[in-house]
Amino acid sequence: MKLQSLYISPLEIESGAVIVSFGLMALLKRKYKRVAFFRPIVSQIPNNDIDLIVNNFKLDIEKEESYGVDIHKAKELISNNQTDILYELLIEKYEKLKANYDFVLIQGVSRDSLSVITDFDINLELAKNFDTNFIGVLNGKDKSYEELIEDISIEATNIQKSGCTHFATFVNRVQKKYIADIESSAVDYLLYAIEEIQELSAMTIWDIKNKLDAKVVYSGEEYLHKTIDNIKVAAMSFDNYIKYIEANDLIIVPADRSDIIIGSIAAVHSKTIPTISCILLTGDMQLHKPIKELLQGFNEHIPILKVDQNTFEISKKVLDIKPIIKADNKRKTSLIEGLFNSSVNLEKIEQQLLIESNHIVTPIMFEYSLQKRAREKKQIIVLPESNDERILKATQILLNSNVVDIILLGDKQEILHQANLLGLNIDKATIINPTTSQYLAKLSHEFYEIRKHKGITKEQALEILQTNPNYFATMMVQIGLAGGMVSGSISTTADTVRPALQIIKTKPGIKIVSSVFFMCLDTKVLVYGDCAINPDPNAQELADIAKSSAQTAKAFGLEPKVAMLSYSTGESGSGDDVEKVKTATKILQEEGGFLVEGPIQYDAAIEKSVASSKLPNSKVAGDANVLIFPDLNTGNNTYKAVQRSSGAIAIGPVLQGLNKPINDLSRGCLVSDIVNTIAITAIQAQSIQFEGIK
């Protein structure tokens, strides 16, 4: 019998139970369509942990359903010896969720919250009454190995005595040197130790704004997730103050210190001074008008906040702020996911859950599967458009999640400066300047050899690679310094594809480069081709596009059932366009290798009720998952119509037919689109041997 719920209990103060909840929810969301998150007792409404999980994973649950009672109500009932009434209230809410959702993930109350009035562990009692398995979360910060082992043993004994089923124990914030020994302990439950990552407990500018009710007087909301490593009170002259600036400083300064304010902003735009995170103005006074006007001329990367209290009062309050992780802080959420995935054996947890397989594939399942597959055989992907902040944000997410290794092209100092301004940490990325790279001579020689039959000279080859990052990146893929390239966020499709056609060229037997989009619908994934490259393919080209699309589908875990789309189904229509599709279908059927049907209309291809009347004997109709459009006009408009009208996630375009993976981005792409495309490129690269950077 498979489990329907898990109870995560924080066993100590600041144990980081939400980290475990986040990691497990990511696992559950790719296995179940409907998952609920439930906190039986919460300290306040709105609740930060609920907001993080519900918003990040877009759970289909009302906020009122996601908690039982607040702490005041719980204390009142317990103090009046009405604990049984409290349990009844919570069990009733839990049972409703259990009836309406495939799985319920429960995060218990912090042990210290009720310890004053109870002499029992309410989380163990609730888990027992909910008839669910128990997960304990310990805080390993600053503990010796002996202390950790003792805590683990004590909690295991308590769980066993309670009668609860002990599913797992997680120990958060552990020193790295103890992890292997802890996890090798002989226990009959899952035991994992998770390393302390300082950045997760680092304060952000949003924490300052939220806790102090500070007003944002300069810069936008998007920069409020920058982390703060140090707190400085600026009380000296600017000449002396600037000597003490460190990266990611919070500068607390009275609002009338114009010299410190302007000097700090100027320092931010200097590449020789560390980049601060934020300026917090204090005191019941306003910025002078000339200073406000002057600030408008700077890029708004460094927020300036304002409070009315004096510097001394505010400095004390800042030290007492407890950081909160928000769903839109992609820097921290990607860190959590990467940390959890690298610390935990997910397959063992899945086996323990006894999860049954099903045919439903939700968008989040598919996106996670991309990252999981990319992570299994990690690749190096080169990104030539490092001056696009979306590329840098995607780089941080992928590096934090340990999905791929990234090479960025450009000036290292400029790239790192821009990343600092955006509050990003991309230290794990390799940065190569094409104009000064040690690889330039080799790449330009190889490029010359490839293109000399077209009249290119050695000097021209060198100049192209120095001035065109797409060519430099493509050559890196060609000679094996990288597994694949992703470009197009600021380049045209032609600028991305042209170097690939000239250098990488097409696979044997494939005469045309084409593209597909993975269309992630509510419960399934469809492959659309070609919606980005070929305006009006002939019958043979259309057959080649279908063949490549079927291969792509299979490479990503979909057994291809190909529908050759037209405005008519079967023999019902005629005309040049229909004949082209008929000819292409016949070519494919004669070659064999996968199921194909055509000509067929879109509704008959994907809807069983329509297929049963139009093509009742077809093995594809009603169940097609690879849909080939007759021309670019039809394909491009259809994918955009489906994407916008149904809320489907469109991942692509994914280029196919090339010897090595080069992929194009839309210039309107989101950061999530870039992340998905890079993951796909990495998976494509896994079948190709290359040397990488030595």
Side-chain angles (χ1 to χ4, degrees):
M1 178 181 177
K2 66 176 182 177
L3 297 180
Q4 289 183 276
S5 62
L6 283 172
Y7 196 109
I8 300 169
S9 172
L11 301 175
E12 297 176 274
I13 299 171
E14 297 182 358
S15 61
V18 72
I19 304 297
V20 178
S21 296
F22 191 99
L24 289 176
M25 182 59 75
L27 184 153
L28 294 167
K29 277 294 289 178
R30 68 178 186 271
K31 292 294 181 182
Y32 296 99
K33 186 180 178 186
R34 286 175 57 77
V35 183
F37 183 67
F38 182 56
R39 296 209 63 193
I41 301 171
V42 293
S43 57
Q44 60 183 13
I45 300 297
N47 181 265
N48 298 320
D49 290 358
I50 291 174
D51 288 345
L52 170 64
I53 301 296
V54 171
N55 294 334
N56 187 82
F57 294 101
K58 299 180 175 60
L59 300 187
D60 184 17
I61 184 173
E62 297 295 330
K63 292 292 177 66
E64 294 74 18
E65 295 180 289
S66 61
Y67 69 93
V69 298
D70 63 41
I71 194 75
H72 305 293
K73 180 69 172 178
K75 286 181 176 180
E76 178 188 335
L77 291 171
I78 294 171
S79 299
N80 294 329
N81 294 317
Q82 294 178 311
T83 306
D84 55 338
I85 295 177
L86 173 64
Y87 287 169
E88 287 174 9
L89 286 171
L90 298 179
I91 291 170
E92 182 181 1
K93 275 212 161 187
Y94 165 68
E95 289 295 335
K96 284 182 180 177
L97 292 176
K98 194 174 172 183
N100 294 321
Y101 290 84
D102 302 323
F103 199 100
V104 183
L105 187 64
I106 309 154
Q107 183 181 308
V109 61
S110 175
R111 175 169 282 186
D112 62 306
S113 298
L114 293 173
S115 59
V116 177
I117 57 173
T118 65
D119 58 358
F120 58 90
D121 191 323
I122 194 168
N123 287 315
L124 283 170
E125 291 299 314
L126 285 174
K128 190 161 54 178
N129 281 280
F130 289 171
D131 189 25
T132 187
N133 285 17
F134 191 87
I135 295 175
V137 186
L138 289 163
N139 182 358
K141 186 174 177 63
D142 298 328
K143 290 182 181 177
S144 67
Y145 175 73
E146 291 72 24
E147 288 173 323
L148 290 169
I149 293 299
E150 183 179 3
D151 286 351
I152 292 167
S153 176
I154 291 171
E155 292 306 331
T157 301
N158 290 339
I159 295 167
Q160 184 180 26
K161 286 180 178 178
S162 74
C164 286
T165 301
H166 192 175
F167 183 90
T169 289
F170 291 85
V171 191
N172 272 324
R173 313 178 78 178
V174 176
Q175 294 182 58
K176 190 173 184 178
K177 61 184 178 181
Y178 299 144
I179 290 177
D181 288 337
I182 289 172
E183 294 185 346
S184 63
S185 303
V187 295
D188 57 359
Y189 53 88
L190 300 175
L191 175 60
Y192 295 108
I194 300 177
E195 184 184 355
E196 167 85 336
I197 299 295
Q198 293 294 339
E199 187 172 341
L200 288 177
S201 54
M203 194 186 311
T204 66
I205 301 171
W206 184 89
D207 292 317
I208 301 288
K209 175 182 178 295
N210 182 52
K211 293 297 183 181
L212 302 182
D213 195 25
K215 178 184 177 184
V216 179
V217 296
Y218 182 71
S219 191
E221 293 284 328
E222 63 182 297
Y223 299 110
L224 297 185
H225 291 310
K226 285 184 175 182
T227 56
I228 294 167
D229 292 342
N230 314 287
I231 300 168
K232 299 282 175 61
V233 177
M236 56 185 72
S237 67
F238 179 75
D239 315 24
N240 292 313
Y241 151 76
I242 197 171
K243 301 173 188 175
Y244 296 96
I245 289 181
E246 294 179 273
N248 302 320
D249 273 348
L250 167 69
I251 307 299
I252 303 175
V253 61
D256 63 348
R257 288 296 304 273
S258 302
D259 58 332
I260 297 292
I261 298 166
I262 296 302
S264 297
I265 293 292
V268 163
H269 291 272
S270 166
K271 296 175 184 177
T272 58
I273 302 294
T275 303
I276 66 171
S277 282
C278 177
I279 300 172
L280 177 60
L281 305 178
T282 63
D284 188 15
M285 60 193 86
Q286 300 300 318
L287 283 171
H288 297 303
K289 186 178 178 182
I291 301 301
K292 284 185 178 180
E293 292 174 351
L294 183 61
L295 288 176
Q296 298 308 314
F298 290 100
N299 292 331
E300 299 179 350
H301 290 306
I302 301 301
I304 299 179
L305 308 184
K306 175 72 172 64
V307 291
D308 291 336
Q309 295 99 317
N310 65 49
T311 302
F312 179 72
E313 291 174 342
I314 286 301
S315 298
K316 289 195 299 181
K317 288 182 178 181
V318 167
L319 293 174
D320 292 332
I321 291 175
K322 302 292 185 187
I324 294 169
I325 300 175
K326 288 169 57 64
D328 57 354
N329 187 338
K330 297 306 178 186
R331 177 169 176 169
K332 285 195 175 184
T333 54
S334 63
L335 263 179
I336 293 173
E337 186 170 0
L339 179 63
F340 190 85
N341 290 340
S342 62
S343 304
V344 174
N345 188 326
L346 298 179
E347 290 183 0
K348 276 194 175 182
I349 293 179
E350 291 180 7
Q351 291 168 6
Q352 197 79 2
L353 288 171
L354 298 177
I355 294 175
E356 298 169 359
S357 61
N358 59 61
H359 67 284
I360 289 175
V361 182
T362 66
I364 197 168
M365 290 178 188
F366 187 71
E367 288 181 305
Y368 183 87
S369 72
L370 293 179
Q371 293 196 21
K372 182 182 178 184
R373 288 187 60 187
R375 195 180 289 115
E376 287 171 354
K377 188 179 176 183
K378 195 161 67 165
Q379 302 293 306
I380 301 171
I381 304 301
V382 58
L383 308 177
E385 298 171 319
S386 60
N387 53 337
D388 186 335
E389 68 178 51
R390 294 169 297 175
I391 294 291
L392 297 182
K393 289 176 179 178
T395 295
Q396 176 183 254
I397 291 170
L398 289 160
L399 292 176
N400 283 345
S401 301
N402 203 31
V403 174
V404 294
D405 290 325
I406 297 290
I407 297 173
L408 297 170
L409 298 188
D411 180 87
K412 184 172 185 177
Q413 191 177 26
E414 290 182 2
I415 292 171
L416 292 178
H417 182 65
Q418 185 182 6
N420 286 332
L421 289 176
L422 295 169
L424 306 175
N425 182 347
I426 58 169
D427 291 346
K428 295 178 183 177
T430 298
I431 301 176
I432 294 175
N433 189 336
T435 61
T436 59
S437 169
Q438 61 177 310
Y439 305 109
L440 180 59
K442 179 176 175 59
L443 293 178
S444 63
H445 173 74
E446 293 291 336
F447 182 46
Y448 164 73
E449 291 294 328
I450 292 170
R451 299 295 293 168
K452 65 183 180 182
H453 71 287
K454 292 292 186 179
I456 192 171
T457 65
K458 291 181 179 180
E459 292 74 17
Q460 289 171 331
L462 179 64
E463 182 183 0
I464 289 171
L465 294 193
Q466 286 180 313
T467 59
N468 192 316
N470 281 334
Y471 273 94
F472 191 94
T474 305
M475 279 303 305
M476 289 188 72
V477 176
Q478 173 65 14
I479 72 167
L481 293 176
M485 180 194 89
V486 174
S487 186
S489 66
I490 54 179
S491 305
T492 65
T493 295
D495 287 339
T496 300
V497 175
R498 187 183 300 109
L501 292 175
Q502 293 177 358
I503 297 166
I504 303 293
K505 301 179 180 173
T506 57
K507 293 178 180 178
I510 300 294
K511 298 179 180 179
I512 186 171
V513 173
S514 58
S515 72
V516 294
F517 279 87
F518 289 98
M519 301 298 294
C520 301
L521 306 179
D522 189 32
T523 58
K524 60 184 175 182
V525 176
L526 301 178
V527 176
Y528 282 10
D530 172 10
C531 305
I533 302 293
N534 298 286
D536 189 19
N538 60 36
Q540 182 60 59
E541 291 171 336
L542 198 60
D544 284 343
I545 291 169
K547 194 187 309 180
S548 293
S549 301
Q551 291 170 352
T552 299
K554 197 160 189 174
F556 286 88
L558 303 174
E559 192 58 39
K561 294 183 179 180
V562 179
M564 306 295 289
L565 298 176
S566 176
Y567 57 77
S568 70
T569 296
E571 300 297 327
S572 64
S574 61
D576 291 343
D577 291 338
V578 176
E579 291 305 316
K580 178 176 75 172
V581 175
K582 284 182 180 179
T583 303
T585 304
K586 185 177 180 182
I587 292 170
L588 293 169
Q589 289 172 336
E590 289 175 351
E591 290 184 1
F594 52 85
L595 294 174
V596 60
E597 184 67 71
I600 186 171
Q601 291 163 290
Y602 190 97
D603 57 351
I606 65 167
E607 183 60 50
K608 290 185 183 296
S609 60
V610 178
S612 62
S613 62
K614 290 190 173 184
L615 288 172
N617 299 318
S618 174
K619 295 180 180 180
V620 172
D623 200 29
N625 55 8
V626 179
L627 298 110
I628 306 302
F629 295 91
D631 53 58
L632 185 59
N633 181 49
T634 308
N636 191 269
N637 279 296
T638 302
Y639 106 76
K640 288 180 178 177
V642 172
Q643 179 188 29
R644 299 300 178 185
S645 61
S646 71
I649 295 175
I651 301 175
V654 177
L655 300 187
Q656 52 191 15
L658 291 167
N659 276 311
K660 296 182 179 182
I662 304 291
N663 278 313
D664 182 38
L665 296 165
S666 163
R667 277 173 284 178
C669 63
L670 303 175
V671 173
S672 58
D673 298 328
I674 299 171
V675 169
N676 287 330
T677 302
I678 292 172
I680 284 175
T681 307
I683 295 168
Q684 290 176 313
Q686 288 174 346
S687 61
I688 300 168
Q689 294 295 324
F690 70 98
E691 294 181 2
I693 299 244
K694 300 293 185 183

